[in-house]
């Protein structure tokens, strides 16, 4: 018999991809699932980028492993201008998606990994694939953001060292998947100081940086450039997950790190497809039409996801108002007793009941590192026709500068998001009998 590798964990299909496949199956069976389980931005490819790809299909050669020089330069200039990154402190690497960048960073840097909870589903399995330990760090969530306390981080590092672990890197993601919240600036600064003092690498996952609902975002690299690697790409703000473009800023101050990353890349992916890299240059040129597209998409993400949070808050559920990305991370703790009466005691139970009885797909908080009995869910507000909603928003912007997006907009252009609000009402009403 052929034996598979023995690992610390059984590798499963990543929960986000698994829920998507389940929903596709249920829809094929004729079920009307409201899909809040998968976070894929629904907007079309901007015309300029589609043309750039179409015009570059003749590029068929392998490119340098670190990425096409013109793309690496465009990325550096864009981040210097838009985010204020001191690009003289960095080398840029291009990869097929930021998931592989994060994996490679975890591989390149020795030691164990500090994970704020809740965090994106793939960080911990990646660490485990590499035989590294995951050291969890608690956070608190509210309307002001996702809070990471610097003293808590110090304690987490100290305790881990005393337990014989080797904390060497922390993964920060802001705005965050699953919470939709950002880490306040002064907290980023305090965390950066601890990481400098304790020699911890910050892997700054800024994939949702340009989906910040306030339209401005600051990178923690400002506070600790020599201790920060930045990971990002085109998957979220340009809805181009399938193009598989990831970008990474690697600190020059860490001796040998860029060549280590390039060596890893050369053994894992050789290079990102040539036509995609050539086309991607246009995404980093600062073209007004692309910038306007990104701003409009963020406005829609903000409107849809704030709507969901408002609806949940009205039901007595703790649902911090999202500040970026396209997620909500509600906590049903207030309804724990009532939920227990219908057999719901864990986040998995909650997600299960919502899917089977109310036809809403979601992901349980446990998939993001939360304790199994916490009643948290990640809801993604992306289940609508992005092209139609975007076209309508663009025409409102052109015709009426004083437009305001309201509930009617959601009813018309995102009926499943609207319906989800109604279904949650029914769910809480059925469960508590009080609404
Ligand atoms: C927080 C976070 N980081 C990284 C990724 C990976 O994105 P990609 O590999 O498409 O760049 C995702 C995708 O869902 C994400 O949510």
């Amino acid at each position: 018999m052929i034996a598979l590798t023995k690992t610390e964990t059984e590798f499963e299909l990543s929960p986000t991809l698994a829920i998507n496949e389940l929903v596709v199956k249920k829809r094929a069976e004729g079920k009307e699932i409201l899909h809040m389980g998968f976070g894929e931005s629904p907007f079309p490819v901007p015309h300029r980028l589609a043309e750039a790809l179409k015009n570059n299909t003749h590029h068929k050669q392998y490119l340098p492993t670190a990425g096409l020089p013109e793309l690496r330069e465009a990325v550096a200039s864009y981040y210097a201008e838009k985010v204020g990154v001191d690009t003289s402190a960095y080398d840029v690497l291009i990869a097929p998606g930021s998931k592989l960048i994060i994996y490679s960073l975890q591989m390149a840097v020795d030691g164990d990994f500090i994970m704020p909870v809740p965090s994106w589903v793939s960080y911990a399995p990646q660490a485990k694939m590499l035989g590294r330990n995951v050291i969890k760090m608690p956070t608190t969530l509210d309307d002001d953001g996702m809070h990471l306390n610097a003293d808590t981080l110090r304690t987490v590092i100290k305790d881990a060292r005393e337990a014989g672990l080797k904390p060497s890197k922390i993964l920060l993601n802001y705005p965050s998947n699953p919470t939709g919240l950002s880490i306040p600036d002064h907290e980023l600064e305090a965390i950066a100081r601890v990481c400098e003092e304790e020699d911890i690498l910050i892997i700054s996952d800024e994939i949702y940086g340009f989906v910040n609902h306030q339209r401005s975002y600051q990178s923690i690299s400002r506070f600790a450039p020599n201790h920060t690697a930045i990971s990002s790409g085109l998957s979220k703000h340009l809805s181009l997950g399938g193009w598989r473009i990831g970008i990474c800023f690697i600190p020059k101050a860490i001796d040998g790190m860029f060549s280590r990353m390039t060596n890893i890349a050369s053994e894992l992916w050789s290079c990102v497809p040539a036509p995609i890299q050539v086309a991607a240059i246009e995404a980093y040129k600062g073209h007004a039409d692309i910038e306007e597209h990104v701003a409009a998409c963020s406005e829609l993400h903000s409107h849809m996801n704030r709507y969901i949070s408002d609806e949940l808050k009205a039901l007595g559920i703790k649902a911090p108002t999202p500040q970026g990305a396209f997620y909500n991370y509600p906590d049903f703790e207030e309804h724990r007793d009532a939920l227990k009466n219908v057999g719901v005691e864990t986040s998995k139970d909650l997600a299960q009941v919502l899917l089977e009885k109310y036809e809403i797909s979601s992901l349980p908080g446990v998939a993001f590192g939360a304790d199994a009995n916490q009643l948290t869910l990640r809801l993604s507000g992306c289940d609508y026709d992005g092209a139609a909603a975007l076209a309508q928003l663009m025409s409102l912007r052109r015709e009426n500068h004083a437009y305001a997006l309201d509930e009617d907009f959601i009813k018309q252009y995102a009926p499943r998001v609207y319906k989800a609000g109604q279904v949650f009402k029914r769910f809480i009403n059925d469960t508590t009998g009080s609404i």
Side-chain angles (χ1 to χ4, degrees):
M1 202 176 89
I2 296 177
L4 300 179
T5 11
K6 285 215 169 29
T7 58
E8 262 187 69
T9 49
E10 284 300 316
F11 293 131
E12 295 171 355
L13 194 59
S14 185
T16 46
L17 303 175
I19 189 74
N20 200 39
E21 291 183 12
L22 182 63
V23 169
V24 169
K25 189 167 153 264
K26 284 195 176 273
R27 279 181 173 166
E29 287 163 5
K31 296 242 163 74
E32 256 242 28
I33 304 292
L34 302 170
H35 195 358
M36 304 185 95
F38 193 52
E40 180 148 23
S41 182
F43 304 112
V45 182
H47 180 68
R48 180 188 292 278
L49 298 184
E51 285 298 299
L53 184 58
K54 203 164 76 188
N55 295 334
N56 283 289
T57 52
H58 58 285
H59 291 287
K60 66 184 186 69
Q61 67 278 39
Y62 284 99
L63 295 178
T65 296
L68 187 65
E70 294 88 323
L71 176 57
R72 294 170 63 209
E73 280 158 28
V75 167
S77 309
Y78 191 81
Y79 272 75
E81 194 194 316
K82 300 272 175 209
V83 190
V85 172
D86 173 7
T87 49
S88 67
Y90 285 104
D91 289 309
V92 175
L93 177 87
I94 308 298
S98 65
K99 191 181 254 185
L100 267 171
I101 287 174
I102 295 165
Y103 182 72
S104 305
L105 287 167
Q106 294 211 55
M107 183 187 276
V109 175
D110 193 24
D112 298 319
F113 145 68
I114 302 170
M115 185 179 89
V117 175
S119 268
W120 182 48
V121 290
S122 290
Y123 301 149
Q126 287 186 350
K128 287 185 180 153
M129 280 180 189
L130 292 163
R132 309 286 167 71
N133 294 295
V134 176
I135 303 161
K136 289 187 181 180
M137 171 177 174
T139 67
T140 55
L141 313 174
D142 60 32
D143 283 346
D144 294 327
M146 176 166 177
H147 303 284
L148 275 77
N149 182 288
D151 290 334
T152 307
L153 176 58
R154 263 184 232 282
T155 309
V156 165
I157 294 169
K158 185 166 158 282
D159 290 352
R161 286 185 181 144
E162 281 172 11
L165 302 178
K166 234 172 120 180
S168 64
K169 52 210 147 179
I170 181 167
L171 246 151
L172 301 182
N173 173 223
Y174 49 98
S176 125
N177 178 3
T179 66
L181 300 173
S182 274
I183 304 169
D185 247 27
H186 65 280
E187 291 179 28
L188 285 180
E189 184 167 8
I191 295 287
R193 294 288 159 261
V194 177
C195 290
E196 280 179 330
E197 284 161 29
E198 301 290 342
D199 233 356
I200 302 284
L201 176 75
I202 302 163
I203 301 179
S204 183
D205 182 349
E206 301 177 17
I207 192 86
Y208 295 99
F210 299 120
V211 199
N212 195 309
H213 300 165
Q214 302 306 318
R215 301 297 305 128
S216 74
Y217 109 83
Q218 306 271 15
S219 167
I220 193 170
S221 67
R222 232 168 2 132
F223 303 119
N226 297 340
H227 282 77
T228 306
I230 303 173
S231 166
S232 193
L234 297 183
S235 297
K236 309 301 175 183
H237 66 290
L238 280 164
S239 319
L240 290 175
W243 277 30
R244 306 311 298 135
I245 284 277
I247 60 144
C248 181
F249 285 86
I250 300 165
K252 288 189 202 288
I254 304 178
D255 207 24
M257 186 161 173
F258 179 64
S259 61
R260 178 62 59 89
M261 287 290 287
T262 313
N263 293 349
I264 292 172
S266 76
E267 300 298 1
L268 288 184
W269 64 81
S270 300
C271 70
V272 173
I276 297 279
Q277 288 204 58
V278 179
I281 294 172
E282 298 305 317
Y284 289 107
K285 282 281 174 74
H287 294 297
D289 49 328
I290 302 280
E291 297 303 309
E292 193 188 4
H293 174 90
V294 172
C297 295
S298 285
E299 187 174 343
L300 287 168
H301 286 311
S302 171
H303 187 54
M304 302 298 171
N305 289 284
R306 278 163 184 255
Y307 178 78
I308 294 166
S309 145
D310 288 347
E311 291 295 290
L312 294 170
K313 279 178 171 155
L315 299 172
I317 295 159
K318 186 179 167 215
T321 305
Q323 300 167 324
F326 20 90
Y327 306 111
N328 267 274
Y329 191 71
D331 185 342
F332 289 67
E333 182 62 32
E334 280 297 307
H335 297 303
R336 179 175 290 279
D337 291 344
L339 286 165
K340 196 170 172 192
N341 291 337
V342 294
V344 171
E345 295 189 57
T346 64
S347 59
K348 265 193 180 165
D349 296 340
L350 185 57
Q352 181 84 13
V353 164
L354 282 168
L355 184 61
E356 297 303 337
K357 295 218 177 114
Y358 294 87
E359 302 196 329
I360 290 186
S361 75
S362 62
L363 280 180
V366 70
F368 302 89
D371 286 348
N373 65 354
Q374 259 188 23
L375 294 174
T376 46
L377 292 178
R378 190 201 71 178
L379 302 175
S380 165
C382 293
D383 188 7
Y384 56 95
D385 179 345
L390 186 62
Q392 174 62 11
L393 175 59
M394 288 303 209
S395 90
L396 283 174
R397 283 182 163 211
R398 271 191 303 270
E399 286 158 20
N400 171 10
H401 292 295
Y403 72 89
L405 297 182
D406 54 14
E407 188 175 81
D408 284 342
F409 185 93
I410 296 198
K411 272 190 194 157
Q412 193 171 349
Y413 291 97
R416 283 189 297 279
V417 171
Y418 176 75
K419 190 169 171 200
Q422 303 300 306
V423 174
F424 272 113
K425 244 176 241 167
R426 179 155 58 82
F427 168 57
I428 295 297
N429 194 23
D430 291 352
T431 311
T432 66
S434 66
I435 308 282

